Amino acid sequence: NRPGARRARLTALCLSRPRRLSVCAVLRVDADLRWMRAGSVMRKVKSRTWKKQRYFRLQDDCATIWYKSEKAGNKTSFISISDVETVREGHQSEVLLSIADEFPPDRCFTLVFRGRRGNLDLVAESAEEAQSWVRGIGVYRLHALVLCLNRPAPRWICDWFKKADKNGDGRMNFKEVQDLLKMMNMDMNEHHAMRLFTLADKSESGTLEDDEFVLFYKLLTERPEVRRLFQQHSSDGHTLSLWDLEVFLREGQLEQENLREHAAELVLCYEPSDTAKTRQAMTIDGFLMYLGSPEGSVFNPSRKQLYQDMRQPLCHYFICSSHNTYLMENQLRGHSSVEGYIRALSRGCRCVEVDCWDGPNGEPIVYHGYTLTSKILFKDVVSVMGQYAFKASQYPVILSMENHCSVEQQRVLAHHLTCILGDKLLQNALEGRSVSGGLPSPEDLKGKILLKGKKIGGLGASVSAVGEDSPVGDVSEEDERLEMEEENHHDDTLRRKAKRLSKELSDCVVYCKSVRFSSFKHARIHSKFYEISSFTEFKAKKHMKEAGADFVHHNSRQLTRIYPSGFRTDSSNFNPQEMWSVGCQIVALNFQTAGVEMDLNDGLFGQNGRCGYVLKPLFMRSAEKQFDPEHPQMLDRSGPLTLTIQVISGQQLPKVNQKEGSIVDPLVRVELHGVPLDQAKLETHHIENNGFNPIWDETLKFTVHVPELALVRFVVEDYDKTSKNDFVGQFTLKKIHCALPYIIPSSVVFPV
């Protein structure tokens, strides 16, 4: 019933009981530890010409890697292992690929960090040394995760202690404690701080050390709102029995299934006291850890797994999609890199874009045409596609091609696609499916890459029967500038001439034939199920307002792609929710640009196993239904729903203003994103000078007409009465499937 909880518990048991591991595995981990603790000289690589030696060493805390950087002068730099998202072995970055002829892959590896921090590419002196670091970092990443879930005092408090202990004597006087509180984003009343300090100073020495500091931490992190809740459900006022916990799960969390079994699992997983575990009871420490764990997250854990029907036609799904995937920055002067494809595919993206142009030496290149963006080879993009397309998800990937190449280099494009991708590239309609039978499902297309582009003839047509390199009109779709000039000036000299398409490239297109859109009426009569049209965001909005119901009906039969305006030179994004509200499947966003738009995208596709496909509601898949997002009242419903969210408290919010003495004044804004009638925002009051443990205790209510399309976004901001509030963190999820927890756990609000 709770696979996530079971996995966490099993992982904790494996790490806490190394005797279960094989002798060889234990010895290998010990050897890796010794190698990392002793330190290694490795090359830090930034380009083919920038390769400099650095000394790396694992610190005594086994959570931090120290290294010496020339750029920092005499200062040293640190890497927190918990910040490492993954480790890639071999030549799996653009930088390491560029030096593949110098260093073998078994000596190379890449540290990929969470957020938007750049990768760290390293070359070890030997393959054995590289493997020790790769294995060791992997072990300690997992170990850090288990420590966070199973230790009542997190490791970061020890780091704060070291920072505040200015003289390094292992003790803290009251002045150092006051400095620590400011560093921890808390402006506490001096009298109250002294009271806690005195209570913790059991030795009456005027300083805190060891157990005294742990006691001070516990006093500091006391959460009265949680203790009140705990005592309300505790039969004896000290612990929660399994029966008490079962009542809390049913009445507080509104859970229903296997509650006694679930309660027992929670005690085993989160209770730090062995005595309480033996009694099958949970203390306040275990209760706090449970509420702040993934189990206490607002996101329904059952929705993290693959749970939707994956045998519907492709057009019945929202598909996680990227625009200008090769770009790492803006689309005027930004850097193009295969890393953009690696990151997008690793996030579950199932539709990526490639802009192809004629390159030197007969090799097509990829970049944003007519700009100063850097260029990469098309064959390198295809190689990365072959490596990463199905690591995050086995469901099909659509390669949306913008083809600006000559016929000669189009043949090269086709050659690279077929030779590098091999069987992964879909080159023929699936056996047993009629040409007029409709689109196949994600399940039918598992492990396949589909090319989206122009095609000569129809799905069942033989290209060989058509003239060599036949003209097909505009080979490329996204030429918004010329489109606007045509509309504004009506100058025939500006009209694009029909370009020629090579039959080899045409043969690579099967179920995603790009066609120019005329009208919904024309499409209803003439369009084929395997045809796909692309719209700029502005044209899509125009169609939405003029014929929303027709747009929804069109998208129940065919795929539609929406892409950002070419005038977004900063690579900003439009609101994808508007496009999803009319059933558009491929809503392409600039993944490299953070903001509310990508938050919504991550929120929608964070469910269903992060497979990149989310099934549309039934009323958007049925040709008989007439849904118009502008008039959701027309749905056969009993009436709108009321969504009630209680925002009680937060803990350990990060600083956003690094000026000395700056303290966060946090507020929480809850946003509802959906059809136009459901768009709403409500926020709490702000808390003065407390980012450490603010308590809001406010209830916010929303009216929801179409919950199937609703996204809920939690935002924490640092209030400023004279200027715009500073962003602290956010969490977005696809509609509420279950009751909210009593508090916003730390797993909900992420610093960026």
Side-chain angles (χ1 to χ4, degrees):
N1 186 43
R2 292 280 171 171
R6 290 195 181 96
R7 278 199 306 273
R9 179 160 57 86
L10 290 173
T11 302
L13 288 172
C14 287
L15 283 178
S16 62
R17 301 178 185 177
R19 61 181 178 275
R20 294 188 176 187
L21 300 174
S22 69
V23 174
C24 291
V26 173
L27 291 176
R28 189 178 66 185
V29 170
D30 288 344
D32 294 338
L33 173 62
R34 288 196 297 271
W35 200 311
M36 295 170 70
R37 292 286 294 276
S40 301
V41 175
M42 294 187 282
R43 287 178 174 85
K44 179 181 177 182
V45 185
K46 289 186 177 180
S47 69
R48 186 170 178 84
T49 57
W50 198 102
K51 302 181 289 287
K52 299 191 178 180
Q53 290 188 329
R54 296 284 185 266
Y55 179 63
F56 293 82
R57 187 181 72 232
L58 180 68
Q59 296 290 85
D60 292 340
D61 61 5
C62 294
T64 309
I65 297 171
W66 170 96
Y67 73 96
K68 179 78 176 197
S69 171
E70 291 180 0
K71 185 177 180 181
N74 293 325
K75 295 182 180 180
T76 56
S77 300
F78 296 90
I79 298 169
S80 175
I81 292 179
S82 62
D83 290 338
V84 178
E85 184 173 287
T86 189
V87 183
R88 299 183 196 148
E89 299 182 61
H91 301 142
Q92 294 200 58
S93 75
E94 186 177 12
V95 171
L96 292 179
L97 276 172
S98 70
I99 60 168
D101 58 336
E102 294 184 60
F103 303 102
D106 57 5
R107 289 174 55 191
C108 302
F109 62 97
T110 302
L111 301 187
V112 180
F113 297 97
R114 290 185 175 86
R116 301 189 176 274
R117 178 177 175 181
N119 296 346
L120 178 60
D121 293 299
L122 298 172
V123 179
E125 291 299 309
S126 68
E128 182 185 7
E129 187 175 46
Q131 275 300 302
S132 287
W133 280 93
V134 170
R135 285 194 303 259
I137 292 173
V139 168
Y140 289 114
R141 279 180 59 240
L142 184 59
H143 187 53
L145 173 62
V146 174
L147 285 176
C148 289
L149 293 175
N150 293 277
R151 285 181 56 179
R155 180 174 295 277
W156 66 266
I157 198 69
C158 301
D159 296 335
W160 285 120
F161 182 92
K162 292 176 182 177
K163 290 179 182 178
D165 183 17
K166 300 296 185 183
N167 56 15
D169 63 356
R171 302 177 179 181
M172 283 207 310
N173 58 37
F174 183 66
K175 175 63 170 63
E176 289 173 323
V177 166
Q178 287 182 303
D179 293 340
L180 172 64
L181 293 177
K182 289 183 179 179
M183 292 164 65
M184 293 167 69
N185 207 4
M186 190 174 188
D187 188 12
M188 183 179 286
N189 176 275
E190 184 174 345
H191 175 74
H192 181 57
M194 175 57 79
R195 185 176 68 83
L196 296 183
F197 184 91
T198 304
L199 286 172
D201 184 17
K202 298 297 184 181
S203 64
E204 299 183 354
S205 63
T207 61
L208 301 181
E209 55 182 315
D210 299 334
D211 293 341
E212 293 176 337
F213 183 72
V214 174
L215 175 59
F216 174 73
Y217 169 75
K218 286 194 171 185
L219 293 171
L220 189 66
T221 55
E222 173 69 19
R223 302 188 71 177
E225 76 282 9
V226 178
R227 185 170 290 278
R228 282 195 299 271
L229 180 65
F230 178 83
Q231 291 176 342
Q232 286 172 11
H233 289 82
S234 173
S235 299
D236 59 10
H238 301 289
T239 61
L240 295 177
S241 66
L242 290 185
W243 185 85
D244 294 334
L245 195 51
E246 184 179 343
V247 172
F248 172 72
L249 293 173
R250 181 172 56 253
E251 297 180 357
Q253 305 293 63
L254 300 184
E255 299 188 19
Q256 298 175 351
E257 298 179 1
N258 302 321
L259 296 185
R260 179 56 61 94
E261 179 188 349
H262 184 204
E265 287 181 342
L266 292 178
V267 171
L268 283 173
C269 189
Y270 299 109
E271 176 52 50
S273 167
D274 290 335
T275 302
K277 280 183 181 178
T278 302
R279 293 173 47 220
Q280 288 193 303
M282 180 177 280
T283 64
I284 182 65
D285 287 337
F287 190 59
L288 275 166
M289 291 170 65
Y290 154 60
L291 289 178
S293 75
E295 277 282 350
S297 172
V298 66
F299 192 89
N300 187 339
S302 68
R303 298 299 191 261
K304 292 181 180 178
Q305 314 304 317
L306 188 70
Y307 71 95
Q308 293 184 331
D309 177 12
M310 302 304 290
R311 297 188 177 278
Q312 300 281 328
L314 277 182
C315 56
H316 287 181
Y317 296 85
F318 297 120
I319 303 173
C320 187
S321 306
S322 165
H323 177 63
N324 288 347
T325 314
Y326 49 88
L327 286 179
M328 303 298 291
E329 302 164 38
N330 68 68
Q331 59 188 36
L332 286 184
R333 298 174 178 270
H335 177 56
S336 301
S337 172
V338 295
E339 183 67 28
Y341 293 91
I342 296 174
R343 293 188 179 187
L345 293 168
S346 299
R347 291 173 69 171
C349 182
R350 298 291 88 187
C351 180
V352 297
E353 185 185 27
V354 56
D355 286 5
C356 305
W357 300 80
D358 283 352
N361 304 317
E363 283 291 344
I365 55 174
V366 175
Y367 83 114
H368 199 249
Y370 309 116
T371 69
L372 298 178
T373 58
S374 61
K375 302 172 177 65
I376 55 178
L377 292 174
F378 175 76
K379 65 179 179 181
D380 289 343
V381 172
V382 179
S383 295
V384 163
M385 290 283 295
Q387 293 179 59
Y388 286 90
F390 304 110
K391 285 196 173 184
S393 169
Q394 285 298 305
Y395 290 106
V397 173
I398 298 172
L399 180 58
S400 180
M401 177 179 285
E402 282 300 303
N403 174 16
H404 303 272
C405 292
S406 62
V407 171
E408 291 74 17
Q409 293 211 11
Q410 287 179 40
R411 295 192 181 106
V412 180
L413 296 176
H415 172 77
H416 289 325
L417 287 169
T418 54
C419 293
I420 297 175
L421 297 180
D423 291 341
K424 293 179 182 176
L425 180 68
L426 185 74
Q427 299 186 65
N428 299 290
L430 298 182
E431 291 184 10
R433 293 191 65 91
S434 168
V435 172
S436 59
L439 285 168
S441 69
E443 191 69 29
D444 295 331
L445 294 167
K446 262 187 172 180
K448 293 296 183 181
I449 296 174
L450 283 65
L451 183 65
K452 171 192 164 295
K454 295 292 182 176
K455 183 175 179 64
I456 304 168
L459 183 61
S462 172
V463 175
S464 60
V466 183
E468 177 84 5
D469 306 326
S470 299
V472 293
D474 302 311
V475 177
S476 174
E477 297 177 275
E478 294 188 11
D479 205 341
E480 184 181 8
R481 178 181 58 84
L482 284 177
E483 274 189 19
M484 293 187 67
E485 288 178 349
E486 288 178 13
E487 292 176 359
N488 293 335
H489 302 290
H490 306 287
D491 188 343
D492 289 339
T493 62
L494 290 171
R495 295 188 181 276
R496 287 164 289 172
K497 296 181 180 179
K499 295 184 180 178
R500 306 187 79 83
L501 176 65
S502 78
K503 68 175 184 179
E504 293 88 352
L505 191 58
S506 174
D507 284 344
C508 295
V509 177
V510 183
Y511 288 117
C512 295
K513 176 183 177 179
S514 296
V515 297
R516 186 166 293 279
F517 180 80
S518 176
S519 69
F520 291 121
K521 181 179 179 180
H522 181 274
R524 195 160 49 244
I525 298 171
H526 300 287
S527 292
K528 307 297 188 295
F529 68 88
Y530 53 82
E531 294 178 341
I532 175 173
S533 297
S534 295
F535 301 88
T536 67
E537 57 180 289
F538 298 126
K539 283 198 172 183
K541 288 180 181 179
K542 182 174 181 289
H543 290 309
M544 286 165 50
K545 291 183 178 180
E546 294 177 352
D550 290 337
F551 211 164
V552 174
H553 182 266
H554 176 83
N555 289 326
S556 70
R557 300 171 55 250
Q558 294 177 249
L559 290 171
T560 296
R561 179 174 179 269
I562 313 297
Y563 59 93
S565 164
F567 297 99
R568 290 183 179 270
T569 55
D570 58 351
S571 292
S572 59
N573 284 308
F574 57 87
N575 181 0
Q577 182 67 49
E578 295 178 309
M579 312 306 169
W580 294 327
S581 293
V582 288
C584 297
Q585 303 88 350
I586 302 176
V587 181
L589 299 180
N590 290 300
F591 270 45
Q592 75 273 25
T593 306
V596 61
E597 299 83 10
M598 277 305 299
D599 295 342
L600 296 177
N601 193 78
D602 292 339
L604 176 64
F605 294 104
Q607 60 177 321
N608 203 30
R610 293 187 177 273
C611 73
Y613 286 83
V614 171
L615 189 63
K616 295 195 288 187
L618 180 60
F619 57 79
M620 304 186 87
R621 310 194 309 259
S622 172
E624 287 73 35
K625 296 284 185 180
Q626 287 294 314
F627 172 68
D628 187 342
E630 295 288 339
H631 305 285
Q633 306 93 328
M634 297 174 64
L635 279 177
D636 187 15
R637 297 282 175 88
S638 57
L641 303 176
T642 298
L643 171 63
T644 302
I645 298 177
Q646 187 180 5
V647 182
I648 296 185
S649 61
Q651 194 173 33
Q652 301 168 15
L653 303 179
K655 276 191 175 187
V656 290
N657 189 335
Q658 296 303 319
K659 291 181 180 178
E660 189 173 350
S662 173
I663 306 294
V664 169
D665 303 324
L667 62 82
V668 177
R669 184 173 66 254
V670 181
E671 304 171 352
L672 186 66
H673 297 264
V675 297
L677 203 57
D678 286 343
Q679 299 286 343
K681 298 179 183 180
L682 294 173
E683 62 185 37
T684 67
H685 66 288
H686 69 277
I687 306 294
E688 292 277 354
N689 294 327
N690 188 356
F692 190 73
N693 56 358
I695 299 176
W696 295 280
D697 197 17
E698 290 191 37
T699 299
L700 310 176
K701 292 188 176 183
F702 298 86
T703 299
V704 189
H705 295 82
V706 189
E708 296 89 343
L709 292 175
L711 289 164
V712 181
R713 182 172 183 255
F714 298 89
V715 187
V716 178
E717 291 183 342
D718 179 13
Y719 173 77
D720 194 321
K721 63 182 178 182
T722 60
S723 62
K724 184 180 178 181
N725 294 346
D726 289 320
F727 175 80
V728 177
Q730 71 84 37
F731 180 70
T732 305
L733 72 157
K734 177 77 169 71
K735 73 177 179 177
I736 305 294
H737 292 284
C738 60
L740 286 167
Y742 273 85
I743 61 170
I744 294 181
S746 59
S747 58
V748 165
V749 180
F750 296 98
V752 173

